[in-house]
């Protein structure tokens, strides 16, 4: 029984009824000879009233059980954007037949019919010219069907969580299985609102009651919900289903599309998980992808998708006009490019020691691996990996602690062009799970604890164990093979072709200290450039020897052609490193360069009394010491320098995105002591690197053109040959990282220079040295403008009785007040207002007006480095504490 189309009721939040239209359309397929009435939203008349000619049309198709209301955001945003003078796009958002406020036809409408329906509608509307499709849920499939069938009009495709292919033999998502189960389908989708309510509950954060009521509006009554059940029943679970062939046709057609594409994704979606995003990326390898961390199925409600789509359309205007996605531009590679495994090739017949594992004590002491042994193992693994099906571009997650095994696995993967995914245990299980799921590895290689976590947390990828496991254990962990078997097989298999310099080599995850950990993508050329910068700046030779208590550099020894050793420690917990362990590692490796993180240094200094006279003599052989990973104060650097009296202490500045940016020595720090400059001086740029500053405006935003002008507080912008390529599946984050970083040709001679906004703030002095003053989100914007925290913190840390300090803001943006939070000596028993005498001293030294001084036993820090203070968390805590809530540990 049919029911006429109608306009939505008045007063639905966010929906302007001026855009609602009803159109009669000549039916096709099962509707041949009939007229069907469609409800849809259309901005054409409003654009015409404003005198604006659109450059194209966004054709938006909703899924099940939503309706065009889901697209109200882009309807409104597109008109506002056009009125502001930006490129104008008309938006047409349909209610599919039997859904929303379109006609209830009472007719069975499988996928192929719905694609035909949409084609009939766009023909009736006279839609031509450039069309950018926008789809979500099953609307994504229908919109892609239209895209494949209308190449003459298609200019771009944009998708929110959807699926256009389901792997054979894999069950469909549990919520859909439950809704579609025999005896449950009608009850859960038609006779009750269970399916609708379950979908609305997937929003994160939760929808308001008014918005939920708006989604419910067209589905009040079982007779208006027939199509909700029809959509669920139309999911092609296997080849016997009537819509399987059509879905396969669409999936194959999508793989042939070359128009620009954007994929916006909610990774917490229990229906369309990252598995379906992987499939789309495989079919649309040129697509821009952004995963909104924490977002779920109703991503149009969860995140600012409309602004993202319009921004993307503007950024890609030229490519969209040409209806051809531009080829990715690769940074120029120097003619002198040398792959990371070059030294392994060069020293393959060398029996000198390459890698030492201090944690693996056997009867003969620490485990020692020669260059010959390492090269043989790497080659056998590389051939074995290739033989078992690991191909160039496949992602391999490494859940193995630093040591000879990880070193061999890493270089084997690099040799065959596999992309290594490195997310260390310091992220914690939750952070590690988020990272691994986000990277979607094809393979996981791990020790038993890592594989157990992978099994328990449902991490994707074929599982390979580092050790040989008992058959029962391997089965329980879903392990398919082990490294020993791969090596044995690889000894008799041919070496695969090596990757090109511009091929992706690694995804290294950030620490997560400033938000969810991000996957940073490096090419082979960029990793090799890092090796070259490190070797040149610190004069690394075959005889140097590295002691690496800082995980990111623990794997570079073989690339540098020198022996390397990781001290006996838990590298995921830097505070476990002792002075004795460092001395033992130096002695074992005859190491002349020592890499440590600030947290590790603190414990090394704290345990120095345990050193024997012989161990102290050993440390005198160190010629270069580096503190990397986070800022370190000069007092701590002086203390560790006393343990290595013949070493030149360095404190390089860098980040996961560019591991070496600038460097400064302790002698340089001594020379600038007493300077009036604010912040931590991290020295001058290393090698071919460049450092500029984008000035902060009165609102604390980095809006200034990047420059090398001295004395200007702003966001630090860096460039180097070893700068990362991009963030993995974070298009918006990538865009922000390179926003407004173009500099004049006169300023930079190189044509292909790449820049990165670091999120750090600071300034350059008259000698071009960089002074870091904090993170951009931690800048305190008060009535007199922005204030960076680090300078004040340094002044406060000079006060007797203060071990460490953090300066954070409380109150509303623009009127924030600075508050000092200090660790005291001796430690405060509980969090509270600081002793009045100490507070007075702190205020006198701070250099900024402080609304309060709070004392805590310990400041919260990041997991990986145990040294980066979590000022965001402290700010929330201080605001809560000063508002009268009972003090608690931050």
């Amino acid at each position: 029984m049919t029911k006429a189309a109608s306009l939505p009721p008045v007063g639905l939040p966010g929906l302007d009824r001026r855009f609602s239209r009803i159109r009669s359309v000549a039916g096709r397929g099962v509707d041949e000879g009939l007229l069907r009435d469609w409800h849809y939203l259309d901005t054409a008349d409003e654009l015409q009233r404003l005198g604006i000619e659109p450059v194209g049309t966004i054709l938006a198709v909703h899924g099940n059980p939503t309706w065009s209301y889901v697209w109200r955001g882009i309807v409104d945003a597109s008109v506002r954007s056009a009125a502001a003078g930006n490129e104008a796009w008309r938006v047409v958002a349909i209610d599919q037949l039997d859904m929303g406020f379109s006609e209830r036809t009472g007719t069975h409408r499988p996928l192929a019919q719905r694609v035909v329906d949409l084609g009939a509608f766009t023909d009736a509307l006279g839609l031509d010219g450039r069309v950018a499709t926008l789809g979500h849920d099953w609307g994504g499939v229908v919109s892609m069907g239209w895209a494949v069938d209308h190449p003459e009009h298609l200019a771009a495709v944009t998708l929110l969580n959807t699926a256009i292919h389901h792997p054979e033999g894999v069950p469909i998502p549990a919520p859909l299985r439950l809704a579609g189960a025999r005896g449950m389908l009608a009850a859960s989708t038609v006779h009750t609102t269970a399916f609708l309510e379950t979908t609305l509950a997937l929003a994160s954060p939760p929808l308001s009651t008014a918005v939920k009521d708006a989604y419910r509006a067209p589905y009040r009554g079982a007779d208006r919900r027939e199509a909700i059940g029809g959509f669920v029943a139309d999911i092609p679970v296997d080849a016997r289903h009537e819509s399987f062939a059509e879905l396969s046709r669409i999936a194959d057609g999508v793989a042939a599309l070359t128009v620009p594409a954007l994929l916006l994704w909610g990774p917490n979606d229990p229906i369309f998980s990252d598995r379906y995003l992987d499939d789309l990326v495989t079919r649309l390898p040129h697509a821009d992808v952004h995963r909104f961390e924490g977002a779920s199925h109703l991503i149009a409600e969860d995140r600012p998708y409309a602004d993202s789509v319009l921004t993307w359309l503007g950024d890609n205007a030229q490519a969209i006009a040409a209806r051809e996605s531009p080829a990715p531009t690769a940074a120029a590679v120097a003619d002198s490019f040398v792959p990371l495994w070059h030294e392994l090739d060069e020293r393959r017949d060398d029996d000198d020691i390459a890698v030492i594992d201090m944690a693996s004590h056997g009867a003969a002491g620490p485990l020692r691996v020669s260059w010959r042994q390492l090269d043989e193992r790497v080659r056998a693994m590389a051939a074995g990996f290739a033989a078992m099906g690991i191909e160039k571009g496949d992602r391999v997650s490494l859940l193995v602690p630093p040591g000879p095994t990880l070193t061999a696995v890493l270089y084997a993967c690099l040799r065959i062009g596999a992309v290594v995914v490195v997310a260390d245990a310091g992220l914690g299980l939750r952070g590690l799970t988020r990272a691994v799921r986000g990277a979607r590895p094809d393979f996981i290689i791990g020790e038993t604890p890592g594989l157990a976590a992978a099994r328990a947390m449902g991490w994707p990828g074929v599982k390979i164990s580092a050790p040989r496991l008992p058959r029962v254990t391997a089965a329980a962990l879903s392990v398919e093979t082990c490294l020993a078997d791969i090596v044995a097989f690889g000894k008799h298999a041919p070496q695969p072709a090596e990757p090109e310099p511009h091929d992706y080599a690694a995804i290294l995850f950030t620490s997560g200290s400033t938000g969810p950990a991000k996957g940073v993508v490096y090419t082979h050329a960029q990793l090799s450039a890092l090796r070259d910068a490190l070797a040149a700046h610190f004069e690394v030779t075959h005889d140097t020897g590295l002691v690496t208590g800082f995980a990111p550099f623990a794997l570079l020894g073989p690339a540098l052609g020198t022996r390397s050793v990781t001290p006996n420690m838990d590298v995921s917990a830097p505070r476990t490193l002792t002075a004795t362990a460092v001395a033992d590692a130096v002695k074992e490796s005859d190491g002349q360069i020592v890499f440590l993180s600030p947290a590790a240094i603190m414990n090394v200094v704290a345990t120095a009394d345990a050193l024997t006279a012989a161990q102290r003599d050993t440390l005198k052989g160190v010629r270069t010491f580096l503190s990397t990973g986070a800022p370190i104060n000069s007092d701590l650097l002086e203390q560790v320098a006393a343990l290595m009296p013949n070493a030149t202490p360095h404190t390089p500045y860098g980040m996961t995105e560019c591991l070496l940016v600038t460097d400064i020595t302790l002698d340089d720090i001594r020379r600038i002591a007493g300077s009036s400059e604010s912040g931590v001086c991290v020295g001058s740029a290393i090698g071919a690197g460049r450092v500029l500053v984008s000035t902060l405006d009165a609102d604390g935003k980095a809006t200034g053109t990047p420059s090398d002008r001295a004395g200007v507080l702003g966001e630090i912008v860096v460039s180097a040959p070893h700068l990362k390529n991009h963030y993995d599946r974070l298009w918006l984050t990538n865009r922000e990282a390179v926003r407004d970083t173009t500099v004049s040709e006169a300023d930079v001679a190189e044509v292909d220079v790449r820049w990165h906004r670091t999120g750090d703030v600071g300034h350059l002095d008259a000698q071009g040295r960089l002074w870091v003053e904090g993170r951009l989100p931690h800048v305190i914007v008060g009535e007199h403008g922005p204030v960076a925290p680090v300078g004040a913190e340094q002044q406060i840390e000079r006060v007797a009785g203060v071990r460490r300090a953090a300066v954070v803001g409380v109150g509303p943006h623009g009127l924030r007040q600075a508050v000092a939070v200090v660790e005291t000596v001796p430690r405060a028993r509980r969090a509270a207002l600081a002793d009045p005498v100490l507070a007075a001293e702190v205020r006198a030294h701070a250099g900024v007006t402080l609304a309060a001084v709070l004392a805590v036993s310990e400041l919260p820090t990041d997991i990986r480095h145990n040294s980066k203070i979590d000022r965001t968390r402290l700010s929330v805590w201080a605001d809560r504490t000063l508002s009268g809530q009972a003090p608690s540990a931050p």
Side-chain angles (χ1 to χ4, degrees):
M1 182 177 180
T2 64
K3 288 185 180 295
S6 63
L7 296 176
V10 176
L12 300 184
L15 182 66
D16 190 335
R17 282 189 81 210
R18 291 180 304 156
F19 300 126
S20 276
R21 303 283 183 273
I22 292 178
R23 177 177 290 268
S24 292
V25 174
R28 294 178 187 164
V30 297
D31 290 338
E32 194 68 44
L34 301 174
L35 288 177
R36 295 300 190 191
D37 291 341
W38 294 63
H39 169 257
Y40 63 103
L41 307 176
D42 192 348
T43 63
D45 290 350
E46 181 63 13
L47 293 178
Q48 185 176 30
R49 186 188 69 80
L50 294 171
I52 298 172
E53 183 68 25
V55 298
T57 300
I58 298 172
L59 177 61
V61 187
H62 68 86
N64 184 36
T66 59
W67 56 287
S68 58
Y69 182 74
V70 76
W71 303 121
R72 67 194 183 283
I74 199 161
V75 168
D76 180 61
S78 65
V79 172
R80 283 189 285 105
S81 178
N86 298 315
E87 192 175 60
W89 282 82
R90 174 188 181 186
V91 176
V92 174
I94 65 160
D95 282 1
Q96 298 195 59
L97 289 174
D98 299 312
M99 299 290 285
F101 289 95
S102 284
E103 180 180 343
R104 295 304 190 264
T105 68
T107 303
H108 177 56
R109 315 193 85 79
L111 177 59
Q113 180 61 43
R114 291 204 172 274
V115 174
V116 167
D117 289 344
L118 184 57
F121 172 83
T122 56
D123 286 350
L125 202 62
L127 207 59
D128 55 15
R130 295 185 216 164
V131 176
T133 59
L134 173 60
H136 172 243
D137 191 88
W138 277 100
V141 183
V142 175
S143 73
M144 287 295 92
W146 187 95
V148 168
D149 292 344
H150 294 79
E152 71 280 13
H153 299 312
L154 185 67
V157 296
T158 53
L159 290 168
L160 280 58
N161 291 48
T162 189
I164 58 168
H165 172 75
H166 186 77
E168 203 170 337
V170 176
I172 63 173
L176 297 180
R177 285 203 309 275
L178 180 62
R182 180 175 297 180
M184 287 291 296
L185 178 61
S188 63
T189 60
V190 180
H191 300 322
T192 71
T193 61
F195 188 79
L196 173 60
E197 296 301 331
T198 298
T199 302
L200 297 181
L202 294 178
S204 177
L207 301 177
S208 69
T209 300
V211 169
K212 286 183 179 180
D213 283 344
Y215 277 111
R216 295 166 180 143
Y219 301 118
R220 299 193 183 281
D223 57 341
R224 297 192 60 83
R225 293 192 292 267
E226 289 287 345
I228 294 179
F231 261 113
V232 174
D234 196 41
I235 298 170
V237 295
D238 55 42
R240 296 169 297 179
H241 194 283
E242 66 175 319
S243 289
F244 184 86
E246 177 68 359
L247 185 63
S248 298
R249 180 188 76 87
I250 294 170
D252 292 343
V254 168
L257 295 178
T258 58
V259 296
L262 174 66
L263 309 176
L264 302 178
W265 211 260
N268 290 356
D269 189 344
I271 301 170
F272 298 115
S273 64
D274 278 352
R275 170 194 297 153
Y276 300 107
L277 174 61
D278 282 352
D279 176 72
L280 285 166
V281 170
T282 300
R283 296 171 194 277
L284 297 167
H286 61 279
D288 291 312
V289 181
H290 190 87
R291 294 171 75 255
F292 288 99
E293 197 63 54
S296 186
H297 178 68
L298 286 177
I299 189 170
E301 298 291 346
D302 294 354
R303 296 296 185 270
Y305 83 96
D307 290 340
S308 300
V309 170
L310 294 172
T311 296
W312 180 81
L313 289 171
D315 288 353
N316 291 272
Q318 188 173 351
I320 289 169
R323 303 184 187 187
E324 188 78 24
S325 189
T329 55
V333 178
D335 294 336
S336 58
F337 168 76
V338 176
L340 280 182
W341 55 88
H342 172 74
E343 288 293 341
L344 283 175
D345 289 346
E346 291 293 301
R347 304 189 69 172
R348 61 182 303 183
D349 297 322
D350 193 336
D351 289 316
D352 283 349
I353 299 302
V355 179
I356 304 171
D357 185 1
M358 297 297 293
S360 299
H361 286 278
L367 176 63
R368 303 171 185 86
V369 178
S370 71
W371 290 98
R372 184 193 301 273
Q373 291 170 323
L374 181 59
D375 180 75
E376 289 175 353
R377 180 60 60 94
V378 167
R379 287 175 179 272
M381 277 190 188
F385 285 154
M388 75 166 292
I390 300 180
E391 301 176 343
K392 185 171 82 170
D394 283 347
R395 297 181 172 200
V396 182
S397 179
L398 306 182
L399 302 178
V400 181
T405 298
L406 178 59
T407 301
V409 171
L410 174 76
Y411 284 89
C413 288
L414 292 175
R415 286 196 77 122
I416 66 175
V419 181
V420 295
V421 179
V422 182
D424 67 59
L427 292 174
L429 185 58
R430 184 176 178 183
L432 195 58
T433 296
R434 187 164 48 219
V436 174
R437 284 181 176 171
R440 295 294 297 178
D442 302 287
F443 298 85
I444 290 179
I445 302 174
E447 296 283 355
T448 305
L451 294 171
R455 174 68 173 171
M457 304 304 290
W459 297 347
V462 174
K463 310 302 188 295
I464 301 170
S465 64
R468 187 183 299 280
L469 299 176
R471 185 173 301 175
V472 173
T473 304
L477 297 178
S478 300
V479 168
E480 296 203 4
T481 187
C482 68
L483 290 180
D485 288 344
I486 289 172
V487 168
F489 187 79
K491 286 179 179 178
H492 308 290
Q495 288 292 307
E498 295 179 353
E500 297 297 323
H502 59 267
D503 287 331
Y504 297 148
I507 301 174
L508 310 180
F509 274 85
T510 60
S511 67
S513 60
T514 56
K518 300 181 288 290
V520 179
V521 180
Y522 279 90
T523 65
H524 285 271
Q526 288 153 4
L527 285 183
S528 292
L530 170 63
R531 173 206 58 203
D532 296 343
L534 188 67
H537 188 71
F538 296 107
E539 301 178 350
V540 180
T541 69
H542 284 190
D543 297 323
T544 298
L546 304 179
V547 176
T548 53
F550 182 56
F553 291 110
L555 299 166
L556 281 175
L560 291 162
T562 193
R563 62 192 168 279
S564 60
V565 55
T566 300
N568 189 3
M569 64 178 294
D570 178 355
V571 293
S572 67
R575 289 174 175 168
T576 61
L577 182 63
T578 64
T580 298
V582 173
D584 290 345
V586 170
K587 180 179 180 180
E588 187 65 36
S589 64
D590 195 21
Q592 298 177 41
I593 298 182
V594 175
F595 287 82
L596 299 179
S597 70
I601 293 169
M602 292 176 70
N603 203 53
V604 166
V605 169
T607 58
D609 289 345
L611 289 169
T612 65
Q615 288 171 328
R616 289 183 182 274
D617 285 341
T618 296
L619 291 176
K620 291 178 181 178
V622 178
R623 67 169 175 81
T624 303
F625 166 74
L626 295 95
S627 169
T628 54
I632 181 174
N633 64 53
S634 58
D635 290 343
L636 191 56
L637 205 57
E638 290 278 7
Q639 292 175 65
V640 78
L643 297 178
M644 305 177 202
N646 297 319
T648 300
H650 294 253
T651 174
Y653 163 71
M655 63 283 308
T656 309
E657 295 85 349
C658 192
L659 286 165
L660 288 174
V661 177
T662 68
D663 181 40
I664 189 170
T665 67
L666 179 56
D667 285 344
D668 291 332
I669 293 173
R670 288 167 177 157
R671 278 191 286 270
I672 61 175
S675 168
S676 60
E677 304 283 351
S678 179
V680 176
C681 185
V682 294
S684 303
I686 291 173
R690 292 288 309 278
V691 178
L692 302 177
V693 171
S694 174
T695 312
L696 299 187
D697 60 21
D699 199 41
K701 296 177 181 176
T703 56
T705 300
S707 76
D708 58 4
R709 194 152 51 97
V712 176
L713 178 65
E715 183 178 15
I716 299 165
V717 184
V718 303
S719 175
H722 52 277
L723 177 66
K724 60 105 169 85
N725 188 273
H726 65 279
Y727 291 115
D728 185 44
R729 299 186 179 184
L730 291 170
W731 166 72
L732 281 169
T733 309
N734 284 323
R735 185 179 187 276
E736 179 60 24
V738 299
R739 172 183 55 83
D740 300 331
T741 54
T742 302
V743 295
S744 68
E745 292 182 9
D747 194 31
V748 176
E750 297 88 345
V751 176
D752 65 330
V753 169
R754 297 168 299 114
W755 294 92
H756 169 69
R757 288 182 174 271
T758 65
D760 289 334
V761 292
H763 71 277
L764 295 166
D765 64 19
Q767 287 72 44
R769 294 174 301 215
L770 177 64
W771 296 72
V772 178
E773 301 184 64
R775 292 285 298 170
L776 194 58
H778 304 153
V779 170
I780 302 165
V781 181
E783 58 179 333
H784 300 299
V787 174
V790 170
E793 291 169 354
Q794 287 183 305
Q795 297 300 319
I796 293 169
E797 286 172 355
R798 292 191 172 99
V799 174
V802 173
R803 181 172 179 268
R804 280 197 304 179
V807 173
V808 298
V810 298
H813 182 76
L815 295 173
R816 290 177 76 75
Q817 303 292 312
V819 171
V821 186
V822 299
E823 285 183 15
T824 60
V825 181
R827 290 182 182 271
R829 293 182 181 178
R830 58 185 180 84
L833 288 172
D835 175 83
V837 175
L838 177 63
E841 281 291 305
V842 168
R843 292 178 192 277
H845 281 76
V848 298
T849 302
L850 296 175
V853 180
L854 298 168
V856 296
S857 60
E858 187 173 23
L859 293 169
T861 60
D862 66 296
I863 297 173
R864 179 187 288 178
H865 305 294
N866 300 148
S867 53
K868 292 183 179 179
I869 296 171
D870 190 341
R871 295 189 186 90
T872 301
R873 177 176 162 187
L874 266 182
S875 177
V876 173
W877 171 82
D879 215 339
R880 187 173 63 241
T881 299
L882 294 172
S883 68
Q885 294 188 30
S888 59

